[in-house]
Amino acid sequence: MVQKAAPGTLSGVRLFLDTADREALARWLPTGLFHGVTTNPTILDRAGLRSMLDDIAPLMREILAYPVQEVQAQCWGTETEALVETGLALAALDPRLVVKVPITENGIRAVAALHERGVRTTLTAVYAAHQALTAVAAGADYVAPYFGRIGDSGRDALAVISEMQAILATSGTATRLLVASLRHAEDMARLASLGCDTFTFSPVVAEQLFSDPQTTEAAAVFEATAAGA
């Protein structure tokens, strides 16, 4: 008998759903497509949740009841000590939780302290290729560049992400490039052709993974044929 790969691990591809909306989680996570879920204070706020353990802990439990491997939640606080404190509190919720930390000087210091305590991390809010090198040097598990926002700034987002991917590929690091701020499934396909294999995206983009007029038409023909058989 052929052993099935664990959900979200097939071919090394890791897809994350970037939301805290419970209806979206209930729709998409049972598909088995997603390695995990990513959140941040802005995403929590959109779902009517606060960046507080009282709100985050129940959400994490609900997410981890689905067939996922990881949840990423962002620590908060402007000073290193606060980032470490909230990061440790988040990590204590479940061993499958990865703590997101903004790639600031205080954030880098916090990552070092979290790693000393065995906490996995994602350095986030990344916009420049040299920041990917910083994340590698810091030993982060993931580095999360904002593809869409890089493009909004007038730069060639595809070229910037490609440079980041090359840095990670040549460094021999275990750090994964977690491409965020994706607005179109087509952009994900282009990035995958460059070697990227880890993405986080909204439920809107998740919908696009299946949307193609010809696919819809073909499925309708199949159903009509089956009904008339």
Side-chain angles (χ1 to χ4, degrees):
M1 181 190 300
V2 177
Q3 179 112 16
K4 291 183 69 177
T9 62
L10 189 62
S11 303
V13 173
R14 293 187 185 181
L15 303 182
F16 289 83
L17 191 64
D18 198 29
T19 188
D21 181 85
R22 285 178 163 91
E23 288 187 8
L25 296 168
R27 177 181 179 187
W28 292 109
L29 295 187
T31 64
L33 281 175
F34 292 94
H35 182 80
V37 173
T38 56
T39 66
N40 61 39
T42 301
I43 288 172
L44 292 173
D45 184 67
R46 287 175 187 158
L49 301 173
R50 303 162 298 167
S51 292
M52 297 181 65
L53 288 179
D54 287 348
D55 280 10
I56 295 172
L59 178 68
M60 296 300 108
R61 287 194 295 269
E62 289 178 32
I63 292 171
L64 289 167
Y66 292 103
V68 298
Q69 308 299 305
E70 293 179 354
V71 180
Q72 300 201 13
Q74 190 163 319
C75 58
W76 59 92
T78 56
E79 300 300 324
T80 300
E81 293 75 12
L83 292 169
V84 173
E85 181 181 355
T86 57
L88 289 173
L90 289 169
L93 294 175
D94 193 280
R96 291 167 289 181
L97 195 137
V98 179
V99 176
K100 296 173 68 176
V101 187
I103 192 166
T104 62
E105 182 176 344
N106 283 338
I108 290 293
R109 294 178 187 275
V111 162
L114 291 169
H115 288 175
E116 287 179 359
R117 294 162 175 82
V119 176
R120 292 180 296 149
T121 62
T122 293
L123 277 164
T124 190
V126 172
Y127 286 87
H130 65 263
Q131 291 176 311
L133 187 61
T134 303
V136 169
D141 294 83
Y142 296 90
V143 53
Y146 289 175
F147 180 83
R149 295 184 190 179
I150 292 171
D152 292 344
S153 70
R155 287 177 288 165
D156 184 341
L158 204 63
V160 173
I161 301 299
S162 179
E163 189 175 0
M164 291 183 187
Q165 181 64 23
I167 289 170
L168 268 62
T170 58
S171 69
T173 181
T175 302
R176 296 180 76 114
L177 196 67
L178 171 58
V179 186
S181 186
L182 288 161
R183 298 164 186 168
H184 304 285
E186 291 85 356
D187 290 330
M188 202 184 325
R190 293 188 187 98
L191 289 163
S193 72
L194 297 174
C196 298
D197 61 7
T198 306
F199 307 95
T200 185
F201 46 88
S202 70
V204 173
V205 177
E207 189 86 47
Q208 295 174 15
L209 292 176
F210 306 97
S211 63
D212 185 282
Q214 288 182 291
T215 299
T216 302
E217 181 181 351
V221 170
F222 294 151
E223 286 300 318
T225 302

